[in-house]
Amino acid sequence: MAAYLQWRRFVFFDRETVKEPPGPDGTGGKPFGLPPGIAVCDAGRGNLVFGDIRGCQIWFLPRSLQLSCFQAYKLRVTHLYQLKQHSILVSVGEDEEGINPLVKVWNLEKRDGGNPLCTRIFPAIPGNKPTVVSCLTVHENLNFMAIGFADGSVVLTKGDITRDRHSKTQILREGSYPVTGLAFRQSGKTTHLFVVTTENIQSYTLSVKDYPHLELDTHGCGLRCSSLSDPSQDLQFIVAGNECVYLYQPDERGPCFAFEGQKLIVHWYRGYLIIVSKDRKTSPKSEFAGNEAQNSDKQVLNIYDLCNKFIAYSSIFDDVVDVLAEWGSLYVLTRDGKIHVLQEKDTQTKLEACKPLLLLMLFRKNLFEMAINLAKSHHLDSDGLSEIFRQYGDHLYNKGNHDGAIQQYIRTIGKLEPSYVIRKFLDAQRIHNLTAYLQTLHLQSLANADHTTLLLNCYTKLKDSSKLEEFIKTSESEVRFDVETAIKVLRQAGYYSHAVYLAEKHAHHEWYLKIQLEDIKNYQEALRYIGKLPFEQAESNMKRYGKILMHHVPNETTELLKVLCTDYRPLGDRDSEGPGMPEGKKANSEEFIPVFANNSRELKAFLEHMTEVQADSPQGVYDTLLELRLQNWAHERDEQVKEKLHSEALTLLKSGRFKTVFDKALVLCQMHNFKDGVLYLYEQGKLFQQIMHYHMQNEQYKKVIEVCELYGDQEACLWEQALGYFARKEEDCKEYIAAVLKHIENKNLMPPLLVVQTLAHNSTATLSVIKDYLVNKLQKQSRQIEQDEQRIQKYREETTRIRREIEELKASPKIFQKTKCSICTSALELPSVHFLCGHSFHQHCFESYSESDSECPTCMPENRKVMDMIRAQEQKRDLHDQFQHQLKCSNDGFSVVADY
């Protein structure tokens, strides 16, 4: 590929489209069009010959463009070979369906009914296996003809190919890869046959018995990608692969040329190698052996001069069918039926184009100045001039003239790879030359990051501060280097002020702060710089560098954080107030608490400021502030200060900011033994038992009684717990026990037996302590018994009366003596309704107010209450029976009780 790119290109051919000859009326000039279906073609003996794959015709096109044809086959024509020294045309085609190729030999000088005379016909079949013909070639002496097949076979006909009687056909080879190319080579009396398949190349010696063969290579090519050169290239066999073009002698491989691209057609013409290949911009398509032309493909035709190593012509065509040579020109046939002619220019014209080649002669004599002047006078392109400058620079460099060499290399910038020059001048003694080259490279904006690094290192090695400052202090629109790379190099070399200048000028904030804090250690300046940054960048940099700044400049850092978390605007905007100024932004103050890791004083000031100016600060701010105040209170020795801190902590707790984090606040107060805070939180959380337990632990008996009096109505069990607590005390607690018993008695909170059992654990509590309680309790129970007995007697008497009335109703007639309606109290009139209960109604009143025909409207509410009570008792009786049954049958009676 490299060799191919270095070959010079010329335009030694003129391209035109073949047009129709003018008619009798003078009209014409339209592009000449071939019949459709042309698939195979050849040229020779004054004609372009075409084979029609659709209409089974063979067409002849002479120079006069008078097209003629004759029918050669009944179905199609697949291959043509026109001999150059004889008027003999060999064709392959089909007369019937199936794989039945026929070879026909035509004598174009003799006629048979107006058509060329067919002198021989024979089937193209290797043995008895029908297969497709892939290629065909004929020796110019008419004594050899070779046919290649798709199954890898080659059939050789020896003798007079125009007659059956004087020739012999035999299978020369059998193989498994399709044959893609054949060519005869005659050297003296020795005849060779080159055979190329898709996988190998072989040479057969036909002038020796048994036709010995030699394998020349283990790779092949596609169809129509091989050809035989003329004597200028020693009749070498040319095979074009996708990577290279190889030349072969009958016994060995010759030179190769790196012409990349998918080859489609290869021909040799008057010392030129003609290659048609796919345009690299088109996508590859699958083909037989990879090299059949496809519809609608752009293809490139290149004409190479292998001896002088230049490209004589290059052009793009649409879908080339083949390239033919006749009448001293090349004819390119395309799929659309057009014919393009390539006419080689005359020698004088080519000499004018070759003038740049004279430069090579001047190079060999080291006459570079003359070569440069000649190139400029003939308007040699920039690539050519760059090559002259490079060679001139190499010449001066080899002579030791490094100053002169670098000036020539500078003139190659933009064309020559900079690394070519840089490698030559990396020696410390030539660093000034390298600096000059790199400066120019940057001025032309062609430098990359590595070049910038190298140039800055050159400046620092030379200690040329003036050049260094001039390089970095260009205006922003003139920057010709990678700024970040320059900052890194300057920092590494110890030029901190230059690095900081670049970082600030080009807004590389992270680099600026990193150098200020880690190298220069100018913390005040770094803090000032952060204060000028936009909000997002100021926030991120304070999170990154806040701890370092807090350690060295705590007060200033705290003030900046206060601004950042409340109403931040960059320093320039902060100074200019006005209605048009953008609204300030605020950061999340909780995220900056870790910055104050070892600065509790500043942290407390920051948190108190946030709670004052921003009541809706995050919960973490209040939590941390509470913890700080409790810590300070716990460690303070001065009583006055301690009292003040106590008040501050309690005030913060009562601010209502800890409802959602109740547990956390409680833990903090317990950790620091903050009694008032713990009790306040217990009260807020309605944890009355914990309040009482707290006083119990501290043996504050009065406080225990007070808690019971305050919260006993909300939690009755407090009195019971208080009684148990005093009962366990061995010291004299009669006063408190009496107070508790009095409240238990009034509220009837405990059975007397349980009270006695509870106090039995106290050795100091005598019977006198509970005497009054027991007496009062027994008296109350006696009174209750008397009341219950009176109620029982009343119920018995009432039951007896009711039973008597029921008996009377059953046995005696009932006389209704009511004279007024029980609903409207008007005098009764017939029709009326009477009930055994003694109530009477007008019929219309009864119908209006009664819900049931069988119930008295007046007695019905009371009756229903009684019935509901009876049903409830029955349900309870059933539930009790069920409960007793489950309790007896269960292995775990407690679980049954718990379920109910």
Side-chain angles (χ1 to χ4, degrees):
M1 186 64 181
Y4 166 72
L5 288 177
Q6 292 176 2
W7 284 25
R8 191 170 300 282
R9 293 174 178 268
F10 297 102
V11 184
F12 283 174
F13 287 79
D14 293 321
R15 172 179 171 175
E16 293 182 2
T17 302
V18 176
K19 298 181 180 179
E20 295 180 355
D25 56 355
T27 60
K30 295 181 179 179
F32 182 82
L34 289 171
I38 300 298
V40 292
C41 50
D42 204 350
R45 309 300 292 176
N47 283 298
L48 305 182
V49 187
F50 309 106
D52 189 345
I53 201 168
R54 298 178 185 173
C56 57
Q57 307 282 338
I58 293 180
W59 301 78
F60 295 95
L61 183 66
R63 197 164 192 176
S64 61
L65 302 183
Q66 301 298 322
L67 198 61
S68 61
C69 68
F70 72 95
Q71 183 172 350
Y73 294 89
K74 294 180 181 179
L75 287 181
R76 63 184 65 86
V77 181
T78 60
H79 294 79
L80 290 174
Y81 191 92
Q82 173 66 58
L83 277 79
K84 304 301 183 283
Q85 299 177 13
H86 303 276
S87 296
I88 298 296
L89 174 67
V90 181
S91 65
V92 180
E94 298 175 6
D95 282 340
E96 57 186 17
E97 292 292 344
I99 303 176
N100 298 300
L102 288 176
V103 180
K104 296 185 180 182
V105 181
W106 308 87
N107 189 332
L108 302 182
E109 293 180 346
K110 297 182 180 180
R111 294 285 162 176
D112 181 13
N115 296 332
L117 176 64
C118 182
T119 62
R120 185 181 180 186
I121 302 176
F122 65 93
I125 298 176
N128 55 2
K129 298 181 296 182
T131 186
V132 176
V133 174
S134 58
C135 54
L136 167 73
T137 187
V138 181
H139 199 296
E140 286 293 334
N141 62 11
L142 300 180
N143 286 326
F144 293 101
M145 177 168 59
I147 304 173
F149 295 89
D151 66 352
S153 303
V154 175
V155 171
L156 177 67
T157 300
K158 184 178 181 181
D160 189 353
I161 66 165
T162 63
R163 299 184 182 183
D164 288 324
R165 294 181 181 179
H166 300 89
S167 63
K168 179 182 178 182
T169 300
Q170 66 183 92
I171 298 176
L172 182 64
R173 76 182 294 273
E174 292 181 341
S176 53
Y177 301 111
V179 179
T180 56
L182 298 167
F184 288 108
R185 180 183 188 273
Q186 188 69 40
S187 178
K189 295 182 179 181
T190 304
T191 304
H192 292 91
L193 173 64
F194 291 101
V195 180
V196 59
T197 69
T198 56
E199 298 296 331
N200 57 29
I201 303 168
Q202 294 180 336
S203 169
Y204 288 83
T205 305
L206 303 183
S207 53
V208 179
K209 188 178 180 181
D210 297 332
Y211 309 141
H213 70 278
L214 178 67
E215 187 172 57
L216 300 177
D217 220 329
T218 56
H219 60 80
C221 66
L223 284 171
R224 302 193 298 169
C225 288
S226 60
S227 183
L228 192 71
S229 68
D230 58 20
S232 68
Q233 280 291 333
D234 198 18
L235 296 174
Q236 295 186 93
F237 186 53
I238 302 169
V239 177
N242 287 340
E243 299 296 332
C244 294
V245 174
Y246 300 91
L247 277 64
Y248 296 92
Q249 294 286 354
D251 55 352
E252 63 180 354
R253 191 175 84 176
C256 69
F257 299 90
F259 303 150
E260 287 189 351
Q262 186 176 355
K263 315 299 187 301
L264 303 175
I265 300 171
V266 173
H267 287 296
W268 186 267
Y269 169 73
R270 292 188 178 181
Y272 293 117
L273 175 62
I274 302 166
I275 295 180
V276 178
S277 58
K278 276 185 178 290
D279 189 356
R280 295 180 187 176
K281 296 179 182 178
T282 63
S283 59
K285 300 182 180 180
S286 59
E287 316 165 351
F288 171 66
N291 291 339
E292 282 291 341
Q294 300 290 329
N295 291 335
S296 303
D297 275 352
K298 294 287 187 183
Q299 296 162 1
V300 181
L301 184 145
N302 286 319
I303 302 176
Y304 298 95
D305 186 330
L306 301 184
C307 292
N308 297 310
K309 292 184 173 53
F310 63 82
I311 301 173
Y313 183 76
S314 181
S315 184
I316 295 178
F317 291 86
D318 289 325
D319 210 351
V320 177
V321 176
D322 208 341
V323 181
L324 306 176
E326 191 64 21
W327 310 308
S329 301
L330 291 173
Y331 292 85
V332 182
L333 171 63
T334 55
R335 190 72 62 184
D336 57 5
K338 294 181 181 180
I339 302 175
H340 305 269
V341 59
L342 300 179
Q343 180 68 46
E344 190 174 7
K345 295 180 179 181
D346 59 73
T347 305
Q348 184 61 37
T349 304
K350 289 196 287 185
L351 283 176
E352 287 294 326
C354 284
K355 279 184 179 178
L357 295 177
L358 297 174
L359 297 172
L360 297 176
M361 298 171 59
L362 296 173
F363 291 163
R364 295 190 182 100
K365 296 182 179 181
N366 296 327
L367 300 175
F368 291 99
E369 292 292 347
M370 187 181 297
I372 292 170
N373 294 333
L374 178 62
K376 289 181 177 179
S377 64
H378 288 86
H379 306 289
L380 187 63
D381 60 17
S382 58
D383 291 335
L385 277 171
S386 176
E387 179 62 19
I388 297 173
F389 294 140
R390 182 193 67 79
Q391 294 195 32
Y392 192 14
D394 290 347
H395 172 69
L396 294 173
Y397 181 86
N398 293 330
K399 289 178 63 178
N401 184 359
H402 300 129
D403 294 339
I406 203 66
Q407 294 304 316
Q408 299 305 318
Y409 288 135
I410 286 174
R411 300 168 80 177
T412 66
I413 290 177
K415 299 296 181 182
L416 182 63
E417 176 61 37
S419 59
Y420 178 86
V421 179
I422 292 171
R423 281 195 299 267
K424 291 178 177 289
F425 291 90
L426 284 177
D427 193 324
Q429 296 179 353
R430 303 165 193 162
I431 195 170
H432 63 282
N433 299 126
L434 180 58
T435 304
Y437 180 81
L438 292 170
Q439 281 177 339
T440 310
L441 198 64
H442 282 81
L443 286 173
Q444 297 187 21
S445 301
L446 296 173
N448 58 28
D450 293 332
H451 299 148
T452 302
T453 303
L454 193 55
L455 178 58
L456 291 173
N457 282 326
C458 289
Y459 284 142
T460 55
K461 294 289 183 184
L462 294 171
K463 301 187 183 301
D464 193 345
S465 298
S466 60
K467 285 285 186 182
L468 181 59
E469 290 187 9
E470 181 184 349
F471 177 73
I472 66 172
K473 292 186 178 180
T474 53
S475 64
E476 193 164 345
S477 59
E478 297 176 355
V479 174
R480 299 182 178 90
F481 56 88
D482 184 77
V483 175
E484 186 171 357
T485 301
I487 294 172
K488 290 179 184 178
V489 174
L490 290 170
R491 184 191 183 199
Q492 188 175 4
Y495 285 77
Y496 301 129
S497 60
H498 296 78
V500 164
Y501 171 84
L502 270 182
E504 183 175 14
K505 178 180 178 182
H506 298 282
H508 286 261
H509 309 308
E510 292 185 8
W511 281 109
Y512 180 92
L513 294 172
K514 191 178 292 187
I515 297 170
Q516 286 283 18
L517 295 173
E518 297 177 9
D519 300 318
I520 303 176
K521 302 188 184 303
N522 190 342
Y523 305 104
Q524 292 279 6
E525 183 60 30
L527 198 63
R528 181 198 62 80
Y529 187 82
I530 293 176
K532 296 192 303 181
L533 297 179
F535 171 75
E536 290 78 9
Q537 295 175 1
E539 181 185 25
S540 63
N541 282 295
M542 281 306 294
K543 289 178 180 177
R544 180 175 300 177
Y545 301 111
K547 288 185 179 180
I548 300 175
L549 293 168
M550 184 62 68
H551 178 71
H552 293 90
V553 281
N555 295 331
E556 294 82 351
T557 305
T558 304
E559 290 303 317
L560 179 58
L561 285 175
K562 288 179 182 179
V563 175
L564 186 65
C565 297
T566 52
D567 184 24
Y568 179 82
R569 283 172 290 175
L571 192 58
D573 298 341
R574 244 177 282 163
D575 298 337
S576 54
E577 298 290 341
M581 295 305 298
E583 185 179 351
K585 297 181 180 180
K586 58 183 179 181
N588 186 347
S589 51
E590 185 177 1
E591 296 177 355
F592 292 96
I593 292 176
V595 171
F596 298 88
N598 299 313
N599 299 75
S600 58
R601 182 172 60 84
E602 285 76 14
L603 176 59
K604 185 170 180 286
F606 172 72
L607 296 176
E608 288 176 346
H609 172 80
M610 293 307 303
T611 56
E612 289 173 7
V613 303
Q614 192 174 315
D616 59 343
S617 293
Q619 185 61 44
V621 172
Y622 287 92
D623 296 345
T624 310
L625 180 57
L626 176 62
E627 184 176 3
L628 274 175
R629 287 184 174 179
L630 291 175
Q631 284 179 356
N632 294 338
W633 172 82
H635 295 94
E636 184 58 51
R637 295 286 179 266
D638 190 326
E639 289 300 326
Q640 293 183 349
V641 177
K642 193 177 185 73
E643 183 62 28
K644 180 182 178 183
L645 293 173
H646 178 279
S647 175
E648 290 178 352
L650 196 59
T651 303
L652 182 60
L653 272 176
K654 293 181 178 180
S655 65
R657 294 293 307 184
F658 298 92
K659 293 179 180 179
T660 57
V661 289
F662 173 83
D663 294 338
K664 187 174 182 180
L666 183 59
V667 169
L668 287 173
C669 291
Q670 290 173 340
M671 285 172 55
H672 297 90
N673 197 24
F674 189 57
K675 171 184 172 182
D676 291 347
V678 171
L679 293 176
Y680 171 77
L681 291 172
Y682 281 159
E683 182 180 358
Q684 293 299 307
K686 296 186 178 181
L687 302 175
F688 306 128
Q689 295 187 38
Q690 279 79 355
I691 296 175
M692 190 169 70
H693 289 159
Y694 181 85
H695 292 310
M696 288 177 179
Q697 289 174 358
N698 293 282
E699 297 185 349
Q700 297 173 330
Y701 302 149
K702 290 184 179 181
K703 292 288 186 181
V704 172
I705 299 299
E706 289 177 4
V707 170
C708 292
E709 290 174 348
L710 286 172
Y711 311 116
D713 294 339
Q714 301 180 51
E715 283 195 39
C717 63
L718 293 176
W719 291 103
E720 299 175 16
Q721 293 178 12
L723 181 62
Y725 169 72
F726 289 124
R728 290 192 296 272
K729 290 295 180 181
E730 294 300 324
E731 54 189 274
D732 188 6
C733 297
K734 294 179 181 180
E735 178 186 352
Y736 304 109
I737 293 174
V740 173
L741 286 175
K742 182 178 180 181
H743 192 87
I744 290 175
E745 178 186 354
N746 294 336
K747 298 292 184 178
N748 194 24
L749 299 177
M750 294 176 66
L753 183 60
L754 183 59
V755 171
V756 173
Q757 290 176 347
T758 302
L759 292 175
H761 299 289
N762 191 323
S763 59
T764 61
T766 60
L767 185 60
S768 61
V769 177
I770 59 171
K771 175 182 176 182
D772 295 338
Y773 168 77
L774 292 174
V775 169
N776 293 334
K777 199 68 177 175
L778 290 173
Q779 289 176 351
K780 285 183 178 180
Q781 289 182 354
S782 297
R783 286 193 294 270
Q784 183 67 38
I785 290 170
E786 290 176 1
Q787 292 174 0
D788 292 343
E789 288 177 349
Q790 291 174 3
R791 194 176 292 112
I792 289 169
Q793 184 62 32
K794 179 182 176 182
Y795 288 156
R796 283 175 179 172
E797 293 174 354
E798 188 174 351
T799 302
T800 303
R801 181 183 60 77
I802 292 172
R803 285 176 178 170
R804 192 182 307 118
E805 289 180 359
I806 292 172
E807 289 298 325
E808 290 177 358
L809 289 173
K810 288 180 178 180
S812 303
K814 177 70 175 178
I815 299 174
F816 300 103
Q817 296 179 340
K818 286 278 187 178
T819 59
K820 292 184 178 182
C821 174
S822 298
I823 293 177
C824 66
T825 67
S826 300
L828 280 175
E829 296 178 357
L830 295 176
S832 58
V833 179
H834 303 276
F835 285 91
L836 293 176
C837 62
H839 295 107
S840 300
F841 308 93
H842 292 117
Q843 184 175 357
H844 62 85
C845 291
F846 174 76
E847 291 175 350
S848 300
Y849 289 95
S850 175
E851 295 181 7
S852 172
D853 294 339
S854 59
E855 292 187 68
C856 173
T858 303
C859 299
M860 185 172 61
E862 190 65 27
N863 290 341
R864 285 191 176 180
K865 289 181 181 179
V866 174
M867 294 303 296
D868 289 342
M869 291 172 63
I870 292 171
R871 281 194 294 268
Q873 288 177 354
E874 290 176 351
Q875 290 177 356
K876 288 180 179 179
R877 182 185 64 196
D878 296 340
L879 188 64
H880 176 72
D881 295 342
Q882 182 182 357
F883 169 72
Q884 291 294 337
H885 176 72
Q886 290 185 3
L887 194 62
K888 290 178 182 178
C889 298
S890 174
N891 294 327
D892 186 2
F894 181 77
S895 65
V896 175
V897 175
D899 291 339
Y900 272 88

